[in-house]
Structures are given as C-alpha cells and as structure tokens.
Amino acid sequence: MTGYANAASEAGSSPAGVTVEARSVNGRFLDLTLRLPDELRGLEPALRELLTAACRRGKIELRMSTARDAEGALPNPTPEQLNRIAHHQSHIQGWLPQARELSVNEVLNWCRGAGPGAALDEPALEAARRCIDGLREARAREGARLAAILLERVAHLRALAAQAAPVLPAVLQRQQARFLERWNEALAGVQAAAAIPAQALQERALGEAASFAIRIDVAEELARLGSHLDEIERLLRAGGELGKRLEFLIQELQREANTLGSKSAALELTAIAVEMKVAIEQMREQVQNVE
C-alpha cells in the first residue's frame, strides 16, 4: 500500500537535528531501501528491524538527513580537536617519517565525524519510530480505501450471480428440448433400419438429455462463488494481515468464473461470465496491494 510520513528530532541542545522521511509504494513483497548519512550508518540494522516489524509488503524507502547535511555547512573545529590531530600527526610521523601530512579536507572530515554526530543515534531512532508509526497510519488509511473498493466489487459479483441464478432453469429446459429434437432427427432413419423399439430410443434420449443437463448446469459453481465472496467480505471486515489469503480466494473466484464461462450454453450466461472475469481481475490487481 502507498503511504508517506516524516518526523524530525533534535539532539538535545545540539542544533544538529535529524529529519526522517518514509514512503511506500505497492509491491507483492517487502523491499526496503535505506538512505542514511555516513554518521548514522550504524543504525541500519535497527531501522530494518523496525520496518520489518511494522510492514509486511510493499517497496519502502526510508531517508534520514541531519541539519548539517541540509545546510551543507562545514564543521567548526575546536582548539581541542586541532591539538589532538596535531599531536597524533606528530606522533605518527615520528614513527613513520614517510607518512604524508593531513589535508584541510581530511581534518574537516575527521572533525565532522568526531563532533556531536555520535549523539544523534538516539534522537534519530526516536524520530524513525515516530515516522514509521505515521507511515503505518497512512498505509492503514490507504488499506481502508482499498477495502471499500473490494467490497464494492464483491457486491457487483453478487449482483451478477443473482442475475445468473434465474436464467439457469430456462437455459436447461431450452437446451434439453433442443437436444431431444436433434436426437430424434438423428435417429429417425436408424429406427426404421434397425427396428429399434421406440420406447428404448426414448429412454436413451431422456438419459442423454439428463446427462447433458448435468454437464451444463452451473448451479454448483455459483454456490461456490457465493461462498468465496462471503469469506472475502468476512476477511475485509475483520482486517489484519490478509493479503495472501485474499490472493488465494481471488484465484478460486477466477476458477469458478472460468468454469461458468466454459459450461455456458446461452449467451446470457456467457455475458455474465465475461463481466465476472473483468470484476475479478480488477479485484486481483487491488489485492496485490493489500498487506
């Protein structure tokens, strides 16, 4: 499900605040992408654990930035830091005369890493927790909208099944009559040539007509389709993690609609089966986004 959230925190009295942004788009599996500044790289395992506990599906990107990154400002080395760097450099060059001196950029990078960045871990995690909570709320709202769409499709499929139910008896009767008529036409010459008793032929014709009616009867498929729709509606109203179960039920709906279309002996039922397939495909596309 799609969603977006952000949160900001400050490291105590330090002006180096942390901003966290999280966004997610639809996906069948959980795909995490973290974009962190260098001083917060150590938080990646904890952030992945938080996201995995909060989300089960979707492509999720979490981005962190600090006030220093946003401002693009260089650190201001303190005298203590510069004295420590000079002492270490002098000590190392005493043992390793071939060691080159540090550049200004290297000194600034060292001061940036040795500054208040280490104190950002807890504020960053606190901001990440609030951001992930906001993302879950946004995804929950999106899930509610998806549930409403799916319930609408369920109601539409129920209406189509209700249209098909009264058509079945008339279709069966019409097809049986057509079958008996063609049967009698085909055996008209055979009866005279083989002297088959008319009663035997009639019994055989009725048996074949009954077997044909059973083959084209779709009442069982409609009953199973209604049962699957009941379960989908129950899951949607109950909520929770139901994406995988809904995918399975959508497959079952598709199977029943395909059987209804293949057994259809009338244009009315064929049109209903086609419209059912369209609605089920729309549901399948939405269900892939449900957690």
Side-chain angles (χ1 to χ4, degrees):
M1 289 174 285
T2 59
Y4 173 83
N6 59 20
S9 182
E10 291 189 355
S13 60
S14 171
V18 179
T19 301
V20 185
E21 287 183 303
R23 67 190 70 210
S24 69
V25 295
N26 300 324
R28 296 187 62 185
F29 306 100
L30 184 61
D31 183 8
L32 302 179
T33 301
L34 303 182
R35 304 189 185 280
L36 309 176
D38 292 338
E39 60 265 37
L40 297 176
R41 290 288 183 188
L43 298 180
E44 183 169 343
L47 293 173
R48 287 187 177 276
E49 185 176 351
L50 289 173
L51 288 169
T52 303
C55 306
R56 294 291 182 270
R57 305 175 81 178
K59 182 176 177 60
I60 300 174
E61 178 183 342
L62 185 140
R63 184 186 298 270
M64 276 189 174
S65 60
T66 63
R68 285 195 299 256
D69 295 331
E71 296 170 0
L74 294 174
N76 294 319
T78 64
E80 292 79 7
Q81 290 175 329
L82 294 176
N83 285 332
R84 189 184 309 170
I85 293 173
H87 172 75
H88 287 318
Q89 180 171 262
S90 176
H91 182 72
I92 291 172
Q93 287 181 333
W95 284 91
L96 301 172
Q98 71 276 17
R100 65 177 180 82
E101 295 185 353
L102 294 173
S103 66
V104 173
N105 184 56
E106 289 169 337
V107 171
L108 291 175
N109 285 335
W110 188 91
C111 293
R112 182 192 300 274
L120 291 177
D121 286 3
E122 278 305 316
L125 282 176
E126 183 271 336
R129 292 187 188 97
R130 290 193 290 110
C131 182
I132 292 172
D133 288 341
L135 180 66
R136 291 184 63 181
E137 294 174 1
R139 285 162 62 92
R141 291 191 295 271
E142 176 70 10
R145 288 191 288 269
L146 288 177
I149 293 173
L150 291 172
L151 288 172
E152 181 184 348
R153 295 291 88 192
V154 167
H156 181 55
L157 286 171
R158 288 191 191 280
L160 291 174
Q163 293 176 20
V167 174
L168 287 177
V171 170
L172 290 174
Q173 186 177 3
R174 186 167 66 247
Q175 292 300 319
Q176 279 185 314
R178 185 179 302 171
F179 178 83
L180 289 173
E181 181 182 352
R182 293 182 177 178
W183 174 275
N184 292 329
E185 291 175 358
L187 294 181
V190 176
Q191 181 179 4
I196 301 175
Q199 183 177 359
L201 285 174
Q202 185 68 16
E203 291 177 356
R204 178 65 182 272
L206 291 175
E208 292 292 339
S211 176
F212 177 74
I214 292 174
R215 289 198 301 272
I216 66 173
D217 187 13
V218 294
E220 185 177 349
E221 284 74 15
L222 290 176
R224 284 197 298 265
L225 187 140
S227 176
H228 297 328
L229 291 176
D230 290 341
E231 182 62 13
I232 290 174
E233 186 170 357
R234 186 191 70 79
L235 290 174
L236 289 173
R237 297 194 185 282
E241 295 180 15
L242 43 86
K244 297 298 178 62
R245 285 179 287 178
L246 287 178
E247 284 184 354
F248 171 75
L249 289 170
I250 293 299
Q251 291 177 357
E252 295 302 306
L253 286 179
Q254 191 70 50
R255 183 176 292 111
E256 303 303 337
N258 287 335
T259 305
L260 178 64
S262 63
K263 294 174 69 173
S264 175
L267 290 177
E268 303 97 307
L269 290 178
T270 300
I272 291 174
V274 170
E275 194 166 349
M276 280 185 173
K277 291 179 183 180
V278 172
I280 293 170
E281 179 62 21
Q282 292 172 346
M283 292 180 69
R284 187 188 66 80
E285 293 177 355
Q286 296 295 340
V287 163
Q288 291 181 354
N289 305 326
V290 177
E291 189 169 51

